[in-house]
Amino acid sequence: MYDLPPEFHFGLLGWKGSANQTWPNVSDQMRIPSYPGGLNLQHSTEYWLTLDLLASNTENVVRPCSAIRVMNSSEADVLFVPFFSSLSYNRHSKRHEKQKASGDRMLQEKLVEFLFGRKEWRRLGGRDHLIVAHHPNSMLTARKKLGSCMFVLSDFGRYSTKIANLKKDVIAPYKHMVRTIPVENSASFDERPTLCISRSNLSERCDTPSSNRLFDAIASHCVPVIISDEIELPFEDVLDYSEFCVFVRSEDAVRKGYLLNFLRGIKREKWTEMWEKLKISVDTLNISIHLNRTMLWI
């Protein structure tokens, strides 16, 4: 792992170490700067991976991963670049009046300059480097220049296949944000006066391939409505989404009045059948997400 200056990682959280100190002391959890809450947490993969690698060289710290940080780059299988790119985008992507470029853009340009100047990058053209760019809009400036490296992403929706693809990159699940409703508190058909709703704190239309709204709907025991023709859903090898989701073709959804009439036409018996299957699927989905995260960290 590169010892990047704090401005690329924990400095973005307001952390200031002593002179010449690059990393916080992870053996003292009270001194570790916390990641911001709210929707920021969806893209906190960068934070947890960095902390885990730091903990690998710290005694008496419980950690789930088997990856170990080495001090000599020649011994490394993968070179991790600890840039909190999602946090940088969320906090510093807007340009202020006196700035020629946003703080996020300037950090990305500094990162490119740093990596291109390293013999470790030049050795394989960056192919053995790993960068977390989990927010779909993170690394907008640098992604093309650093596209030879391995990325940890939320989806491939906003990348060309030359920059991101299944051959080299990893898709990490969003951190789950909505608490699962206990089965005994799940409202029945007649107790739900609202036909449909999107649980989002943004003006997001649930139109990204990796949108967390699918997981929010399932955790809330609401039957998901999926408008897509060729979507590939997560964990399809263990979940049959047709049992508890409503699928609508894109061309039908844009027809005036079609979607509302279609949803209103779903009878109590059919909805209840999907609802019962949905409640069973919640545990399966939670187990799959947990296993997927564990596999990513190993």
Side-chain angles (χ1 to χ4, degrees), residues 8-14 34-37 40-41 43-44 46-47 83-93 104 107 132 134-135 138:
F8 288 97
H9 42 82
F10 291 100
L12 291 167
L13 296 170
S34 58
Y35 203 83
N40 290 286
L41 284 173
H43 306 293
S44 56
E46 54 201 23
Y47 172 80
F83 174 39
F84 291 178
S85 63
S86 296
L87 186 63
S88 178
Y89 172 78
N90 280 331
R91 290 196 160 183
H92 301 293
S93 59
D104 178 47
L107 270 183
V132 181
H134 199 255
H135 192 292
S138 63

Side-chain angles (χ1 to χ4, degrees), residues 2 110-122:
Y2 286 111
K110 283 185 179 181
L111 181 67
V112 171
E113 182 180 0
F114 172 86
L115 290 175
F116 281 11
R118 302 288 300 197
K119 65 177 190 273
E120 292 87 354
W121 179 274
R122 295 195 298 268

